[in-house]
């Protein structure tokens, strides 16, 4: 048990360190990272394609990196927006990690990129535990997924800085209860903004872009209550160089973290590290989105040193 816990903590600590370095590096060049999480089929690719196109029309330098277990379908779709797009194939890994993201950005992302949208692997479990060096974490859910989604995935929704509801054009047909959904979101993440969107009809189009630009310009991002519950270790809280603000993005795994095997992975309260420009925290808080308690991984999912966290497969999809 202790050995497993130690290995998991080492993996998470290594990721936190890489995320801190990446956030500082990208922040220094004026790039804000937006991490998009959702279940498969939520419609995040369709919405992101519209947002990227809008950014291009407005002259905002943006780029997008999308991760999937297989195929380059999403990158092909996003490339229709005309912005730089890159596909990362995780070869079975259910999430991106900070060092993976940094490696794939090296030599690819244009120097003047103001916003980098990262479309994480379609999964509301594993990605919620890994900081990618983002300054804005967005969780999306379609109206077809059920109003209790936030309660079923409290870590993902509880650490979101913005919640986006997609496919509202069919909300009436599927009898989506907006009030119930909002109540459940507030139950796990009080005060977080919930935005309604429809990529097909254009409802809510541009809000995601505006929120990302605001954070990049130094605006205050929402600080989830879940992240405030965890205390940072002395000496782990870094100060974002040149910004005069503490950006302690704490990822803390709780004792109930289950990997589908017959053992539990208890984790200490977390490792604090920096957020990039615009990520503000309440006074005395020093903690941002983090790993919460009780998120579960499916059978056989392991994050020890032997986990496949380095994958050479990636493709740059030419813009049209």
């Amino acid at each position: 048990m202790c050995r497993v816990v130690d290995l998991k903590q080492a993996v998470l600590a290594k990721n936190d360190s890489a995320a801190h370095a990446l956030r500082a590096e990208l922040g220094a060049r004026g790039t804000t990272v937006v991490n998009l999480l959702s279940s498969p089929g939520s419609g995040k690719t369709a919405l992101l394609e519209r947002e990227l196109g809008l950014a291009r029309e407005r002259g905002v330098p943006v780029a997008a990196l999308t991760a999937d277990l297989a195929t380059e379908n999403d990158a092909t779709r996003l490339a229709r927006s005309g912005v730089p797009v890159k596909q990362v194939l995780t070869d079975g890994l259910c999430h991106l990690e900070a060092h993976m993201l940094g490696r794939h950005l090296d030599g690819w992302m244009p120097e003047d990129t103001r916003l980098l949208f990262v479309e994480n692997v379609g999964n509301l479990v594993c990605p919620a535990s890994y900081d990618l060096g983002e300054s804005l974490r967005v969780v999306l859910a379609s109206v077809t997924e059920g109003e209790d989604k936030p309660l079923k995935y409290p870590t993902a929704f509880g650490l979101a800085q913005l919640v986006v509801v997609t496919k509202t054009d069919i909300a009436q047909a599927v009898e989506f209860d907006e009030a119930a959904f909002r109540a459940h979101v507030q139950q796990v993440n009080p005060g977080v903004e919930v935005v309604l969107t429809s990529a097909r009809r254009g409802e809510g189009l541009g809000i995601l872009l505006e929120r990302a630009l605001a954070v990049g310009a130094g605006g205050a991002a929402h600080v989830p209550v879940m992240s405030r519950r965890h205390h940072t270790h002395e000496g782990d809280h870094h100060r974002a160089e040149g910004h005069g603000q503490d950006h302690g993005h704490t990822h803390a795994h709780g004792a109930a973290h289950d990997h589908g095997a017959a053992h539990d992975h208890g984790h200490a309260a977390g490792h604090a590290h920096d957020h990039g420009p615009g990520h503000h925290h309440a006074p005395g808080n020093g903690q941002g989105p983090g790993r919460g308690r009780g998120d579960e991984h499916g059978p056989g999912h392991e994050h020890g040193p032997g986990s496949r966290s380095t994958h050479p497969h990636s493709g740059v999809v030419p813009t049209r």
Side-chain angles (χ1 to χ4, degrees):
M1 173 67 74
C2 291
R3 177 60 175 165
V4 172
V5 171
D6 290 344
L7 290 176
K8 181 61 178 178
Q9 289 180 332
V11 170
L12 298 180
K14 182 178 180 180
N15 181 80
D16 289 347
S17 178
H20 166 55
L22 183 60
R23 183 179 295 107
E25 176 187 345
L26 295 179
R29 54 190 276 187
T31 301
T32 299
V33 178
V34 181
N35 187 7
L36 305 177
L37 291 77
S38 79
S39 299
S42 68
K44 68 177 177 295
T45 304
L47 179 62
L48 181 55
E49 181 183 353
R50 295 291 303 273
E51 295 284 343
L52 293 176
L54 183 60
R56 188 186 183 198
E57 291 175 7
R58 295 182 179 178
V60 179
V62 297
L65 181 145
T66 181
D68 280 302
L69 276 66
T71 82
E72 297 188 359
N73 295 347
D74 286 353
T76 300
R77 291 176 58 187
L78 294 179
R80 296 185 303 203
S81 66
V83 308
V85 175
K86 185 174 186 179
Q87 178 77 55
V88 172
L89 300 181
T90 65
D91 195 24
L93 191 67
C94 64
H95 62 275
L96 283 174
E97 295 178 11
H99 75 95
M100 296 168 60
L101 177 60
R103 188 178 71 251
H104 288 296
L105 296 182
D106 187 29
W108 165 73
M109 190 176 68
E111 287 293 328
D112 66 342
T113 301
R114 188 173 174 186
L115 294 177
L116 171 65
F117 288 93
V118 178
E119 185 180 15
N120 219 314
V121 179
N123 184 345
L124 282 176
V125 182
C126 313
S129 298
Y130 287 83
D131 177 18
L132 299 183
E134 71 264 19
S135 293
L136 183 64
R137 177 175 290 206
V138 183
V139 174
L140 302 89
S142 71
V143 297
T144 62
E145 296 178 60
E147 297 80 5
D148 61 346
K149 200 77 169 186
L151 302 181
K152 289 184 176 180
Y153 298 91
T155 300
F157 283 90
L159 296 172
Q161 293 169 294
L162 178 67
V163 174
V164 176
V165 178
T166 61
K167 304 184 182 181
T168 56
D169 52 293
I170 60 172
Q172 185 174 359
V174 299
E175 299 182 346
F176 176 68
D177 189 336
E178 179 186 339
F181 179 84
R182 287 181 178 274
H184 293 153
V185 169
Q186 295 304 313
Q187 184 175 335
V188 298
N189 193 347
V192 70
E193 181 182 11
V194 177
V195 175
L196 303 180
T197 67
S198 169
R200 178 175 296 177
R201 293 182 179 175
E203 179 184 0
L205 183 62
I207 296 179
L208 176 58
L209 177 62
E210 292 169 2
R211 298 297 185 270
L213 287 172
V215 170
H222 171 69
V223 182
V225 171
M226 181 179 289
S227 67
R228 300 173 190 168
R229 295 174 183 166
H230 304 286
H231 300 286
T232 58
H233 294 297
E234 184 177 358
D236 283 345
H237 191 139
H238 305 287
R239 179 171 294 275
E241 184 176 354
H243 297 289
Q245 291 288 338
D246 288 333
H247 305 293
H249 185 144
T250 301
H251 280 293
H253 274 267
H257 192 104
D258 178 29
H259 283 261
H263 51 268
D264 293 327
H265 300 283
H267 301 289
H271 308 277
H273 44 277
D274 293 349
H275 267 280
H279 192 102
H280 297 268
H281 297 287
N285 170 19
Q287 299 182 27
R291 302 182 185 95
R293 296 175 180 266
D295 48 322
E296 297 183 355
H297 291 269
H301 188 97
E302 298 178 358
H303 284 294
S307 69
R308 292 179 296 174
S309 59
T310 302
H311 303 282
H313 310 294
S314 66
V316 178
V317 179
T319 57
R320 292 181 174 82

